[in-house]
Amino acid sequence: MSATLTAPALDGAQVKRASRLPRLLSLTSVAVAVGLAVSMLVESNTVMSLLTQAVIYAVFALGLGFLLKQNGMVSFGHALFFGLSGYLVGVGASLTGSVGTVVVLTIAGIGFFAFALALVIVRVPGIAFGMLTLAIGQSFYVLVSKSRGVTGGADGMSIEFPPRVFGLEIGAFQDPASMFLISWLALVALVLALSLLLGTRFGPLTEAIRENEERVRFIGFRTLLPRAVVFAISAMVTAVGGALSALYTGFVSPESLHWSVSGTVLIMVVLGGSRTLWGPAVGAVVYYLFRDYVGEHTTHWMGIFGVSLIAVIVLWPAGIAGGVMHAVERIKRGSGRHA
Amino acid sequence: MKTRRITNLLAAAVLAVASGASLAQAKEPIRIGMVTSQSGGFTAQGEDSLRGMQFAVDEANASGGVAGRRIEVQIGDDESTPEGGRRVAEKFARSGYNLLVGPIASSISLALGQNLQRWDALYVSTLSKSDRITGDSCNMRMFQANHSDAMDLAIVQPWLKDNAKEKRFAILANDYIWGRDSAESFTKAAQKLGKEVELSVFAPIGTKDFAPYIAQLKNSGAEAVWVALVGRDLIAFAKQAAEFGLTTSKRIIGHAYIMSFVVKATDSATDGVWGVLNYAPEIDTPRNKALVAAWRKKFGRDPSENEVAGYSGIQVIVQGVEKADSVKPTAVASALSGATLDTVWGPAVMRAEDHQLVKPNYVGRVKRVGGELRPVIETAFEASIATPAPTTCKL
Amino acid sequence: MTMTYALEAKGLSVRYGGVTANDGVSMRIAPGEIRGLIGPNGAGKSTFIDALSGRRATAAGSVHLAGRDITALGVVERRLLGLSRSFQRTSIFPGMRIGAQMELAASKIPDADADEVMRELGLDRFADRHANEIGYGDQRRLDIALALVGRPSVLLLDEPMAGLSIEESMKLARHLRELARHWGVSVLLVEHDMEVVFGISDSITVLETGKLLAEGAPAEIRAHPKVREAYLGSAA
Amino acid sequence: MIGLQILNGLVYGSLLMIVASGLVLIYGLRRVVNFAHGSLFMLGAYIAYAAAQQFGFWVGLVAAVSVLAAVGFCLDRFGFRLLQDRDPLTVMLVTFGLLLVFEDVVQSVWGKQSYSLAAPESLAGTVELFGSPFPVYRLVIVAAGLAVAAALVGWLRHSRVGLFIRGASTDPVTTAMQGVNTDRLSGGVVAVGAALAGLAGVVSGPFLSLSPTMGSDILIDSFVVVVIGGLGSFAGAFVAAMILGQVQALGAVYLPDLAALLPFALMTAVLVWRPSGLSGSRT
């Protein structure tokens, strides 16, 4: 007993971390297997292209959800990072043949930009922060719509990609079946990376900041930097989504920076549930499938979607992921009691 | 008793469907994907053009189809965004409805154009106006059935020369690429004729209160104002210009201004406004006369320019299929390229160099005709003047 | 003779919105001393703690921790130098497991032992529970536990007994004594429960309308005529 | 010219103020950021349009305001009250869902085309101001804005209800502890907030056009006003609405290239300077 008491806190944490890793890795391999299975089993190109879109937006939602989960902050301006990433990849591709480098530089650049921005804006509290991000995002929307030359203004920009990107033929990025797999693997890798990051002290620290920022300072941590880092990571994940979208569609337009895009993705996040990393991704897929299905049968999809959104939010405050987790826990507890 | 009647009805229905099916089986149906704006900023135009497209399809099917083929359609909402348009169009194209038509915003048309090869589809633009559709973004599978911006601007100078006594002009345009281009072209045209543009003001898209701009226009020494605003901004401006008495103190000339949906949405605010006019029911061609008569019979009014644009888009596809005797997009595309089509504007060539439909254009004025306010053609310009030569397109 | 005080405030003034909440308050607390801070509502006790802990800017005066001037330092630096506090309205991390938040609090301070503090305050059995799942009294103790991690040299407690049962209050009082005796922690205790304050404090400071009214051993304060008039008379 | 432009700014500022004060009322009492506010604005305009077709502008105005008050009451009774313990983001997204529903309803009933609501005959025409004819109706908007501001100030300053509202806006917990029945109060307050949105919709009808997206257009401007003013502050919202009106009017003339960015730039600048808005404290 006394032996464990000498340094129990650290040991406990290490034990927990050690037991997390194999579980994470096995979940990751299951996720990869699911992706492979879907890409092989789904024959319809229509369904495949829908799923590809959904997964690209799932990456976007993952980024926005990460901000909400670790920072408790709502951004109405994340489309900025999504759209800007697409434009940077597009402009970069027109300047150099090495699109892989361009994509990496774009994501890093957006990370720096978001970090610097966050240092200024994260002090703004609550809903005003949301409105501030909206204002910044809309400013860029206006700038890109107005600008001529490289971005093509309101007409959007077609991107001419070189024949090979990241060592793959460009066709692989533009065919739904293969692009689904690429996006899916990116999504899984990002979820894994973020999970590992949250397994370090960064996880509880940012969680604590979200819960009670002032108290965190009174236990001896500065809070500005971690919050800015969360914002930057969130922007970078979103930027990965933007780059995937640009690769897949070969087209970017100012509309991809519009606040309504941020709003839609925020709905995906809340629909899926922001208490887990994977919740927002589930939300994105459900949103796409739902809209496709309802949109096919009625022109009133907006109203139906509005009603469903309200119903889900009211009935399942923790979103779909929260509902699923709750059900799983009940089953576990139930079987535990019987055993 | 009741049951038997229903059974009889059912039997009849089955028979009808079966006979229809046997007809269609003769040849593959024409599958058209209508991608249009049912929500977002272009909803009103979307509804109009959809009515026109639907009318053309019904008309063709009612007369037994096109060369033995029935037309089947899928209708989807592009939400007024390229992303939405691309998603719907891809879905349609991949499920066989690969003859596409319908979007309003040029950005959506350009986003579709980009993907036609990949989807094995063909696209006829009916309401977009960007010159890039037949310029640097042109391609084998994309056709411009609408009047392009270049066409609308090409008639400005000849019209000004013979019809405008005013010496000094002012410009109000939306502050983005289309508005700026329009303003620039107008300025050039005016200056070539020795006229002056005293003031150019640019309002952001989404401007609700135009009073600050109207005050500047009124204060300028201009005798006439060239206006290039889009959709909702235009409607707000039209009402406010009338409210401030701008419409009566200076001649207003619009780039895409005198359109039925604007006239209808603004009471009498557009009375007396001049502008480029792409279509009016009085166009004297057999095809147009037939259309107007049929339209009046069904709706009890004349068709609007957006409705006719939609209608004409379907006409282009139908005639392409007839000429190719195939519904394969590549076959239809090569049949259309360079072909002479029968349109409401008379016979018109689908120019092989850039896939622009070569047709006449008009300047008109909003007037009361039989108690109803509508745009009326004042001056017509034949196709050779109205359609500038191909520019950067290489097909 | 010069003595190094654990905490020293010199002429501290705090103003906000035209109101002078603290007006030139000076105070010295020796190592291992428990100092009671009392005064009627609105006397500026919480403001004083806010000013000492760096939560509120001071208009005049200085704060010294173990002889070092910390007036210009922020909240974080003061905590890392050993000046810690609890809150009047419980300030914890509701959605986090108690073990995890204690561990986090310990991670910034060398040799801090979260588990031991949890045991001392009877929180160890809740380590795997979320903070919003435990009772109010336990949450109050968690607030203090978060402040205690790493054995700060000075602990500022803003009404720690509020909402606790008599039994819990007594237990906490005993624990504070022990902290002061064995670990040499100096405690500044703002508390409404006079019995507790007079029972455990080594000395007591009385504030009234932001100004120092009296200072001395519990017995002196009890006998102080001005204090009786201003405060105890009505309360006791 | 500059006098005229300031007057123009005053007109748009007054309109924004009417919309924004409704938002502030609802936020103040319920802590709800009401995304459906723009659709209430739109609904007001459409209802007035429908009624005005038959019975004229004034009946339309009364109809719109009363229907919207009823809608607001129901919104609180069957929405916000049941959700008051939920986190603000959840409630905000519920109002987002309502926005979608309202837009769909309006499209289903009135179709997608734009309509025009004519100003009443008695208020048509122009008067000579600053050497140029100025529409009488626009002066009426300014008057309406002033009337709404005066009525709100009077109500909040001098009535018991007003005292409670001010209390609840600054500190809902304390007010609730002091035995104020927030629930009973808020039905009425949200009704007034919604009615103000409806009123603004009707008032704007004659110079904007009616379309199913008119709500989203005004929503952003109103949010900018409310956030610049400091959430939940009436005085802040009044000032911010007037500033924004002036910025748009004068920006259009003196900084035309930046006109589209000015509202956002203003908001960013204010929030970076004072994170809680004009009326908020500096901390």
Side-chain angles (χ1 to χ4, degrees):
Chain A
M1 191 72 185
S2 62
T4 51
L5 277 179
T6 46
L10 273 177
D11 279 0
Q14 276 162 356
V15 169
K16 265 181 226 152
R17 251 165 249 158
S19 70
R20 267 188 68 176
L21 194 60
R23 193 164 149 258
L24 265 181
L25 288 178
S26 56
L27 282 175
T28 306
S29 17
V30 171
V32 170
V34 168
L36 278 170
V38 169
S39 71
M40 281 190 288
L41 292 177
V42 176
E43 302 231 325
S44 153
N45 248 334
T46 318
V47 177
M48 216 58 223
S49 88
L50 187 72
L51 287 175
T52 308
Q53 291 257 326
V55 172
I56 290 173
Y57 271 81
V59 174
F60 187 163
L62 174 69
L64 191 60
F66 182 74
L67 182 67
L68 189 58
K69 180 177 184 296
Q70 293 310 121
N71 231 347
M73 291 178 128
V74 180
S75 164
F76 281 101
H78 253 49
L80 163 62
F81 305 119
F82 185 79
L84 196 60
S85 169
Y87 272 108
L88 289 176
V89 168
V91 173
S94 69
L95 297 176
T96 159
S98 172
V99 175
T101 320
V102 168
V103 169
V104 171
L105 285 178
T106 293
I107 292 163
I110 286 180
F112 279 117
F113 167 60
F115 180 75
L117 186 66
L119 288 179
V120 181
I121 67 172
V122 292
R123 294 180 307 123
V124 176
I127 199 68
F129 174 83
M131 293 301 142
L132 185 56
T133 53
L134 187 147
I136 294 166
Q138 283 299 91
S139 306
F140 275 84
Y141 165 75
V142 170
L143 283 177
V144 172
S145 311
K146 276 175 65 167
S147 71
R148 297 148 155 273
V150 280
T151 66
D155 285 346
M157 174 169 86
S158 297
I159 308 171
E160 291 297 329
F161 284 112
R164 296 189 82 80
V165 172
F166 282 118
L168 292 170
E169 271 186 45
I170 185 65
F173 291 94
Q174 309 202 322
D175 172 59
S178 50
M179 188 55 179
F180 168 80
L181 203 57
I182 292 170
S183 314
W184 179 263
L185 292 178
L187 177 67
V188 171
L190 285 169
V191 172
L192 178 67
L194 291 178
S195 302
L196 290 173
L197 176 69
L198 294 184
T200 67
R201 197 172 73 189
F202 187 73
L205 173 60
T206 48
E207 205 180 319
I209 294 173
R210 179 198 67 202
E211 294 271 307
N212 187 346
E213 182 179 0
E214 179 174 54
R215 188 59 201 240
V216 172
R217 282 189 281 121
F218 279 101
I219 59 174
F221 288 92
R222 279 173 217 290
T223 54
L224 180 63
L225 221 58
R227 294 182 72 190
V229 169
V230 167
F231 190 82
I233 291 175
S234 153
M236 282 164 77
V237 173
T238 299
V240 172
L244 287 172
S245 175
L247 280 167
Y248 180 50
T249 61
F251 185 83
V252 236
S253 70
E255 277 86 355
S256 61
L257 280 88
H258 195 263
W259 80 270
S260 58
V261 175
S262 310
T264 307
V265 178
L266 189 62
I267 287 178
M268 297 175 190
V269 169
V270 174
L271 205 60
S274 63
R275 291 184 200 176
T276 53
L277 277 176
W278 49 274
V282 173
V285 174
V286 169
Y287 174 88
Y288 267 96
L289 296 181
F290 179 93
R291 188 173 60 180
D292 190 65
Y293 181 77
V294 176
E296 213 159 80
H297 293 90
T298 164
T299 51
H300 294 283
W301 91 266
M302 246 179 28
I304 294 173
F305 182 70
V307 171
S308 323
L309 177 70
I310 295 171
V312 170
I313 291 172
V314 170
L315 297 177
W316 293 335
I320 298 168
V324 171
M325 294 293 272
H326 191 66
V328 168
E329 245 166 60
R330 266 171 63 177
I331 293 167
K332 266 190 191 165
R333 266 186 215 164
S335 62
R337 211 171 290 148
H338 290 298
Chain B
M1 185 68 188
K2 208 174 179 184
T3 337
R4 184 175 306 161
R5 230 170 68 201
I6 291 173
T7 331
N8 284 346
L9 271 173
L10 269 178
V14 168
L15 261 178
V17 170
S19 60
S22 71
L23 246 179
Q25 264 164 11
K27 275 180 175 174
E28 212 182 328
I30 306 174
R31 295 201 173 90
I32 297 177
M34 297 179 181
V35 180
T36 191
S37 303
Q38 297 176 339
S39 57
F42 300 105
T43 310
Q45 293 102 305
E47 202 175 39
D48 282 354
S49 78
L50 187 59
R51 196 177 301 119
M53 293 191 278
Q54 198 75 56
F55 185 85
V57 170
D58 292 347
E59 192 182 57
N61 280 342
S63 64
V66 180
R69 299 172 194 271
R70 288 189 61 77
I71 305 180
E72 293 174 8
V73 297
Q74 288 265 27
I75 301 166
D77 179 14
D78 61 28
E79 297 163 41
S80 304
T81 68
E83 183 62 35
R86 210 196 65 87
R87 186 171 56 242
V88 177
E90 176 167 10
K91 186 176 153 190
F92 288 170
R94 292 202 190 272
S95 53
Y97 291 80
N98 51 11
L99 303 172
L100 302 168
V101 66
I104 292 127
S106 292
S107 57
I108 306 178
S109 292
L110 293 165
L112 298 196
Q114 173 91 355
N115 288 291
L116 297 171
Q117 179 90 33
R118 222 201 296 178
W119 304 334
D120 186 23
L122 170 140
Y123 169 57
V124 176
S125 155
T126 56
L127 280 116
S128 301
K129 280 183 172 284
S130 170
D131 294 336
R132 291 173 60 197
I133 294 170
T134 52
D136 60 7
S137 296
C138 71
N139 75 59
M140 286 304 295
R141 292 162 178 265
M142 181 153 64
F143 295 86
Q144 174 60 293
N146 196 13
H147 292 85
S148 69
D149 282 325
M151 290 172 72
D152 286 347
L153 292 164
I155 61 171
V156 170
Q157 194 182 331
W159 179 78
L160 281 178
K161 187 163 170 261
D162 299 330
N163 299 277
K165 291 187 295 288
E166 291 92 342
K167 284 257 168 264
R168 287 166 300 163
F169 290 84
I171 294 173
L172 171 65
N174 268 133
D175 189 8
Y176 80 117
I177 193 160
W178 176 76
R180 295 252 173 202
D181 281 348
S182 173
E184 198 183 322
S185 299
F186 182 85
T187 308
K188 268 189 204 150
Q191 284 167 347
K192 269 196 194 135
L193 297 170
K195 299 175 188 289
E196 275 173 58
V197 174
E198 300 217 321
L199 172 74
S200 301
V201 282
F202 296 93
I205 292 185
T207 297
K208 286 168 278 297
D209 186 8
F210 281 91
Y213 301 98
I214 293 170
Q216 291 183 75
L217 295 174
K218 286 183 80 171
N219 242 8
S220 72
E223 300 149 274
V225 184
W226 173 257
V227 177
L229 299 172
V230 290
R232 274 172 291 159
D233 292 21
L234 179 56
I235 291 173
F237 169 77
K239 293 178 77 168
Q240 294 165 21
E243 201 188 358
F244 277 97
L246 180 72
T247 325
T248 45
S249 65
K250 298 184 197 299
R251 169 143 77 159
I252 307 238
I253 310 158
H255 181 161
Y257 193 140
I258 53 169
M259 294 188 283
S260 300
F261 80 96
V262 180
V263 175
K264 270 191 223 141
T266 52
D267 285 340
S268 55
T270 52
D271 197 355
V273 171
W274 290 73
V276 175
L277 183 59
N278 294 154
Y279 171 83
E282 62 265 29
I283 292 174
D284 192 13
T285 64
R287 186 114 209 170
N288 187 45
K289 281 184 169 154
L291 168 64
V292 172
W295 194 276
R296 280 186 181 154
K297 204 171 149 204
K298 182 160 185 194
F299 296 103
R301 60 175 174 85
D302 289 338
S304 74
E305 62 293 307
N306 283 339
E307 285 162 343
V308 172
Y311 177 87
S312 307
I314 299 293
Q315 291 294 315
V316 169
I317 293 182
V318 161
Q319 292 181 37
V321 171
E322 267 177 333
K323 286 183 197 300
D325 194 22
S326 163
V327 292
K328 278 183 59 185
T330 42
V332 177
S334 48
L336 276 177
S337 194
T340 303
L341 306 175
D342 182 19
T343 74
V344 295
W345 296 273
V349 174
M350 182 59 81
R351 196 157 58 190
E353 291 90 335
D354 62 350
H355 291 179
Q356 171 67 55
L357 189 61
V358 180
K359 53 185 182 176
N361 208 354
Y362 314 88
V363 170
R365 177 157 59 128
V366 179
K367 269 188 188 167
R368 281 198 191 279
V369 182
E372 204 192 335
L373 212 56
R374 75 165 177 86
V376 175
I377 293 176
E378 293 280 339
T379 319
F381 296 89
E382 58 189 62
S384 58
I385 299 171
T387 318
T391 52
T392 52
C393 178
K394 288 185 190 73
L395 282 178
Chain C
M1 177 195 130
T2 57
M3 171 179 173
T4 307
Y5 292 96
L7 183 72
E8 185 173 8
K10 292 181 185 168
L12 216 56
S13 293
V14 177
R15 292 192 194 97
Y16 46 92
V19 179
T20 304
N22 284 168
D23 191 356
V25 180
S26 295
M27 180 187 279
R28 290 167 167 177
I29 304 175
E33 177 188 348
I34 297 184
R35 169 72 59 98
L37 180 61
I38 61 172
N41 274 334
K45 295 165 297 190
S46 289
T47 306
F48 190 58
I49 284 196
D50 282 352
L52 291 178
S53 61
R55 192 186 190 204
R56 203 179 273 284
T58 51
S62 58
V63 183
H64 304 260
L65 187 70
R68 176 176 173 182
D69 187 346
I70 59 166
T71 319
L73 299 185
V75 166
V76 177
E77 288 98 337
R78 294 186 196 203
R79 170 65 166 112
L80 295 177
L81 288 172
L83 176 62
S84 190
R85 68 168 292 180
S86 75
F87 289 81
Q88 191 177 356
R89 273 190 190 172
T90 314
S91 182
I92 54 176
F93 307 105
M96 284 177 82
R97 289 180 207 284
I98 288 157
Q101 46 185 293
M102 288 296 291
E103 206 177 289
L104 181 71
S107 63
K108 199 63 190 279
I109 298 152
D111 304 324
D113 186 347
D115 285 7
E116 195 176 319
V117 174
M118 281 202 290
R119 259 199 319 283
E120 279 172 20
L121 286 168
L123 291 166
D124 45 345
R125 61 203 161 105
F126 299 131
D128 277 333
R129 301 271 290 278
H130 287 103
N132 53 12
E133 298 169 355
I134 60 175
Y136 183 68
D138 297 323
Q139 291 185 353
R140 296 292 300 169
R141 284 206 306 279
L142 175 59
D143 193 338
I144 296 167
L146 286 170
L148 258 181
V149 173
R151 306 296 171 194
S153 57
V154 178
L155 186 59
L156 313 173
L157 297 178
D158 197 353
E159 299 193 23
M161 318 288 184
L164 296 191
S165 67
I166 296 176
E167 202 178 318
E168 284 175 315
S169 297
M170 296 318 286
K171 217 170 128 190
L172 183 58
R174 274 198 301 278
H175 186 69
L176 291 178
R177 279 241 71 93
E178 205 165 308
L179 273 176
R181 294 290 166 270
H182 293 289
W183 298 89
V185 176
S186 308
V187 178
L188 178 64
L189 176 69
V190 170
E191 185 51 58
H192 276 297
D193 188 335
M194 288 305 132
E195 216 168 304
V196 173
V197 179
F198 282 86
I200 68 169
S201 300
D202 297 309
S203 55
I204 291 175
T205 301
V206 187
L207 283 186
E208 196 199 26
T209 58
K211 286 189 188 119
L212 197 79
L213 185 70
E215 194 170 69
E220 289 169 41
I221 295 298
R222 222 188 271 278
H224 201 291
K226 268 193 186 164
V227 176
R228 293 194 71 89
E229 183 193 329
Y231 185 52
L232 291 173
S234 55
Chain D
M1 178 79 170
I2 182 139
L4 196 62
Q5 294 298 13
I6 288 174
L7 189 59
N8 281 328
L10 214 55
V11 174
Y12 192 59
S14 302
L15 183 68
L16 276 180
M17 199 213 71
I18 303 177
V19 191
S21 54
L23 264 181
V24 172
L25 269 179
I26 297 174
Y27 181 85
L29 208 69
R30 279 295 189 204
R31 286 290 180 274
V32 172
V33 177
N34 185 19
F35 265 79
H37 208 69
S39 28
L40 299 176
F41 170 87
M42 167 185 73
L43 209 55
Y46 272 90
I47 289 171
Y49 169 79
Q53 293 294 95
Q54 296 286 324
F55 309 106
F57 181 86
W58 297 108
V59 175
L61 178 79
V62 173
V65 171
S66 2
V67 172
L68 264 291
V71 169
F73 184 81
C74 295
L75 204 58
D76 187 69
R77 181 67 191 78
F78 305 109
F80 302 156
R81 187 178 302 185
L82 307 177
L83 294 168
Q84 55 186 330
D85 298 325
R86 294 296 187 77
D87 88 294
L89 175 63
T90 304
V91 188
M92 190 182 79
L93 282 169
V94 167
T95 64
F96 201 96
L98 284 173
L99 176 153
L100 297 175
V101 174
F102 282 137
E103 282 193 10
D104 201 1
V105 166
V106 165
Q107 282 194 16
S108 308
V109 177
W110 285 284
K112 293 165 181 176
Q113 68 270 47
S114 298
Y115 292 101
S116 171
L117 174 63
E121 287 289 328
S122 53
L123 304 178
T126 54
V127 287
E128 193 79 5
L129 272 178
F130 303 104
S132 163
F134 197 84
V136 174
Y137 187 76
R138 292 195 167 230
L139 297 175
V140 174
I141 295 178
V142 177
L146 288 177
V148 166
L152 276 175
V153 167
W155 187 44
L156 294 173
R157 280 267 166 83
H158 303 296
S159 75
R160 232 171 95 78
V161 180
L163 187 70
F164 289 154
I165 294 174
R166 279 186 293 155
S169 318
T170 41
D171 189 355
V173 181
T174 320
T175 314
M177 284 195 299
Q178 283 164 353
V180 177
N181 187 342
T182 317
D183 277 346
R184 184 126 46 92
L185 201 62
S186 64
V189 173
V190 176
V192 173
L196 285 172
L199 174 68
V202 184
V203 166
S204 73
F207 83 102
L208 301 175
S209 65
L210 275 58
S211 76
T213 51
M214 67 187 284
S216 325
D217 296 343
I218 200 91
L219 186 68
I220 299 286
D221 277 354
S222 327
F223 275 152
V224 170
V225 163
V226 172
V227 170
I228 288 180
L231 284 157
S233 157
F234 290 97
F238 292 168
V239 173
M242 291 308 153
I243 293 179
L244 196 65
Q246 294 306 328
V247 160
Q248 298 215 323
L250 299 177
V253 184
Y254 299 106
L255 287 170
D257 285 340
L258 297 175
L261 294 174
L262 283 177
F264 301 130
L266 179 68
M267 174 157 143
T268 309
V270 168
L271 287 183
V272 168
W273 171 51
R274 292 180 87 120
S276 336
L278 288 179
S279 71
S281 61
R282 234 176 228 264
T283 44

